[in-house]
Amino acid sequence: MNRTTLALGTAAALLAGGTADAQSDRRTTISPYIELSQVLDADLKGGDVVTYSEVAVGIDAATNTPRVQAQISYRYERRIGEGHDIGDADVNTGLARIDAKVAPGLSLDAGGLATRSRNDIRGAAPGILTGNVDNISQVYTVYGGPSYRGHAGAVALSADYGIGYTKVTTPTTGTGTPGQRLDYYDHSLGQTASVGASVAPGAMLPVGVSVGAGYQREDGAQLDQRFEGYHARGDVLAPVAATVALTAGVGYEKIDVSQKDALLTAAGVPVQDGDGRFVTDPTSPRRVAYRTDGVYYDAGVVWHPNHRTSVEAHVGRRYGSTSYTGTATYQASKSVGLAVNVYDTVETFGQQLRQGVANLPTSFVDSRDQFGQQFNGCVFGTSGAAPGGCLNSAFQSISTASFRARGVDAVLSAKRGLSTYGFAAGYTNRELYAPNVPSGIVVYGEEDQSYYGQLFYGRALSRVSGINANAFLNYYTSDLPGSAGTISYGATAAYYHYFGRLGTTASLGVYNAKTEGQPSDPSLQALLGARYQF
């Protein structure tokens, strides 16, 4: 069993242990299960049809107490091929989020993710991960750390520490461009630390003042990559009306991203290890992939008309060009909420993924539809206060290079009676960084981008039955050699019914992908399964 499977199991243990004194509390549920399924995958263009069986074990658990808010949904399945058309495989899928108050002012935030996702942005773009899918890697990530919030008179104090680990398996076949293959991500370990102090407007001065500093480092296995950053910043907040304030800030930032060269053959081709990853040249000096060292600044406006609505927008100068950031939240009711995030950061795949998981709600919608995008797209929350978040910006491709990520995400979730709705859309752009040396690495200065949308609908038909439906659309483009615009879209639906502890599920999915200059690839999927819930 891999370390992330263990970590997700540990999260379940923490969830159960954190509520050991409240097992009778109706807000706490723990439901392990075993499931058997039969899957059909049909190529609608070529006529090929494959079938296979699945044996799965999993756990769904959640708690919501004054001290602990947490949820975990984890599933391990063994796929058993039938005939020679599809091989056996192990698949791990799960999401865990925990926010626990361990002492006055002190809390613990932790999370974990196991999923499968697209690897190379130039390759295949499967949306329903059944059968022998190309260009897919299994991804694991975990993170955790304490946070402190307190006061010293009128001064609010904060301190945070986090540590996280990300692991990616080598992708399935059919990726990349011959002669121009990108390196495969392996694993990374990252740490962050920050401190801050702030004073609200009117407490000591007419304006609010905040100062903060932070440090982050990540060490990646591929080519001995290292990301190290320091920053310090000060802000002022000046109210200009009852619900409007102007804000401005200035800071100092230093980021160094470096790595070593790939070992080359006499012909100048990168040497690969047994897993297909580039081998590090032990004699190589450390090369700078990206560096910034200097002052950055921005100004903006904050609008907070009531406790349900908040909008904040900033424009400034950072990373050598104009930078736009902002957030907007609207909680229409206890069960209806909207969140919009505009971001501009320099980071790595591991950092972006761990931060994305940390931004997901501690109570989320877990669909019974195994054909839906299981935690590799947008995740919808169950309350208006935390409508959800998207991981698409990280999963548009799994990059070993660092990059500047700019984009926007919008998530809407709603619950009306027996129905639950979710809608999400976004855009992300990456400018890739790597040492500009003739070492066979082709990403320096190139950009890739994606547009995405996702819909979710769930309805309880009775106390023991219900339906789930998903629809998604993705479009990818890249400046990398050998790339072409790719669009993928699909829709899935599932019906489930429980007979006591035994439940049954029927799912159906349709999917299509089209790359410029190539024929489309439509397919149909079907599943029948039975689950016993302990």
Side-chain angles (χ1 to χ4, degrees), residues 493-527:
Y495 169 78
Y496 63 89
H497 194 289
Y498 275 97
F499 304 90
R501 292 185 177 273
L502 180 65
T504 57
T505 302
S507 298
L508 185 69
V510 290
Y511 167 75
N512 192 24
K514 178 70 170 66
T515 299
E516 294 177 10
Q518 298 183 22
S520 60
D521 184 24
S523 62
L524 179 144
Q525 299 77 25
L527 176 148

Side-chain angles (χ1 to χ4, degrees), residues 40-50 130 509 511 522-526:
L40 177 145
D41 185 14
D43 184 343
L44 297 181
K45 191 170 185 178
D48 294 334
V49 177
V50 297
T130 58
Y511 167 75
S523 62
L524 179 144
Q525 299 77 25

Side-chain angles (χ1 to χ4, degrees), residues 5-199:
T5 302
L6 288 172
L8 287 168
T10 301
L14 281 172
L15 188 154
T19 58
D21 60 345
Q23 288 298 310
S24 62
D25 194 326
R26 296 178 183 176
R27 295 173 295 178
T28 299
T29 60
I30 301 176
S31 302
Y33 64 86
I34 184 170
E35 186 171 291
L36 303 176
S37 302
Q38 186 71 21
V39 181
L40 177 145
D41 185 14
D43 184 343
L44 297 181
K45 191 170 185 178
D48 294 334
V49 177
V50 297
T51 60
Y52 60 91
S53 301
E54 291 180 349
V55 180
V57 294
I59 183 171
D60 293 315
T63 189
N64 183 11
T65 72
R67 292 183 54 216
V68 180
Q69 293 82 48
Q71 184 175 345
I72 178 173
S73 176
Y74 171 70
R75 173 187 176 92
Y76 162 77
E77 65 184 49
R78 176 67 176 175
R79 297 186 171 181
I80 304 170
E82 299 172 359
H84 301 288
D85 294 327
I86 186 170
D88 296 351
D90 297 309
V91 178
N92 290 277
T93 305
L95 175 63
R97 283 286 289 112
I98 300 172
D99 185 5
K101 297 176 176 63
V102 297
L106 184 65
S107 62
L108 172 68
D109 180 56
L113 174 75
T115 191
R116 294 191 301 161
S117 185
R118 191 174 191 230
N119 197 289
D120 191 333
I121 196 168
R122 303 170 299 174
I128 299 177
L129 305 181
T130 58
N132 293 320
V133 287
D134 290 336
N135 197 25
I136 292 295
S137 291
Q138 181 80 54
V139 182
Y140 308 94
T141 194
V142 290
Y143 80 93
S147 298
Y148 173 76
R149 300 292 183 269
H151 284 83
V155 181
L157 304 174
S158 65
D160 299 273
Y161 171 76
I163 184 169
Y165 174 83
T166 299
K167 169 65 178 177
V168 178
T169 64
T170 54
T172 52
T173 59
T175 67
T177 302
Q180 297 175 331
R181 186 180 68 74
L182 304 182
D183 198 4
Y184 295 152
Y185 196 98
D186 188 359
H187 67 265
S188 66
L189 178 69
Q191 299 183 69
T192 62
S194 63
V195 294
S198 63
V199 177

Side-chain angles (χ1 to χ4, degrees), residues 181 184 263 265 269-279:
R181 186 180 68 74
Y184 295 152
L263 184 66
T265 66
V269 178
V271 176
Q272 301 174 20
D273 64 14
D275 292 323
R277 297 186 174 96
F278 293 169
V279 176

Side-chain angles (χ1 to χ4, degrees), residues 330-366:
Y330 174 60
Q331 184 178 356
S333 67
K334 184 178 180 180
S335 58
V336 180
L338 169 69
V340 180
N341 180 42
V342 179
Y343 55 88
D344 184 357
T345 61
V346 169
E347 54 195 345
T348 67
F349 169 75
Q351 291 171 327
Q352 188 180 39
L353 179 58
R354 292 190 293 268
Q355 186 59 52
V357 175
N359 290 338
L360 297 179
T362 54
S363 179
F364 51 86
V365 175
D366 176 31

Side-chain angles (χ1 to χ4, degrees), residues 364-418:
F364 51 86
V365 175
D366 176 31
S367 172
R368 283 289 301 271
D369 183 4
Q370 295 303 314
F371 292 153
Q373 295 190 328
Q374 290 293 299
F375 309 129
N376 60 8
C378 297
V379 177
F380 299 105
T382 60
S383 75
C390 292
L391 302 175
N392 303 67
S393 56
F395 284 136
Q396 73 171 17
S397 65
I398 300 174
S399 170
T400 58
S402 59
F403 48 84
R404 181 179 180 180
R406 287 172 283 187
V408 57
D409 286 326
V411 180
L412 171 69
S413 68
K415 183 174 177 61
R416 294 292 190 187
L418 300 177

